[in-house]
Amino acid sequence: MLCCGCHLYLYLCSGWCCPAFPPLTLSLPQVLLACLAAVAVAAPQFNDGRPIVLVLRDDRQDNGDGNFNFGFEADNGIAEERSGTPGLEGQSNMQGSFRFPLPDGTFAEVRYVADEGGFRPESPLLPTPHPLPAHAIEQIRIAEEQRARGEIFQ
């Protein structure tokens, strides 16, 4: 049996247009109780075991000309500082740092510069290449001497 579609609104069809659904009569207290239950179910739930993190500081300054400063700090130790200026090629040059807690309770901190030369992070936690062996350094020195004398190998 087809219906006119009036039952799509909480099935509050009056019955005269839709014989497939009998009339549904709700009193005002029932409607209010249903709305209250819906609000209670939709409320945020904070009992999932994760702690609530408070924002201690959130400083933002944008001069509108490409210069800006940003600072953020939370009570769990997460923090970020950043400042920027307009770059020569239309980009934003930035420098700053960020910090976050590690599982062992210590904090990781990364300082960085991002400009025409690219993104250059610095931190003791970042991997570094192994030092070159002595024979590789000697080969590089010989190649530089040959290049300086104009020797080209093809």
Side-chain angles (χ1 to χ4, degrees), residues 45-55 74-78 101:
Q45 305 295 316
F46 295 109
N47 59 358
D48 61 355
R50 295 184 296 175
I52 297 174
V53 177
L54 301 175
V55 175
D75 70 346
N76 64 354
I78 294 174

Side-chain angles (χ1 to χ4, degrees), residues 83-144:
S83 62
T85 58
L88 298 175
E89 299 175 12
Q91 81 285 356
S92 290
N93 290 342
M94 292 184 244
Q95 60 184 5
S97 64
F98 57 91
R99 178 183 69 205
F100 55 92
L102 296 172
D104 66 359
T106 62
F107 286 89
E109 184 166 356
V110 177
R111 297 190 175 282
Y112 63 90
V113 173
D115 57 14
E116 290 86 1
F119 179 72
R120 297 180 305 280
E122 295 177 2
S123 173
L125 297 174
L126 295 175
T128 57
H130 295 288
L132 292 174
H135 71 277
I137 294 172
E138 179 65 16
Q139 288 176 339
I140 292 170
R141 185 191 62 75
I142 293 170
E144 288 173 350

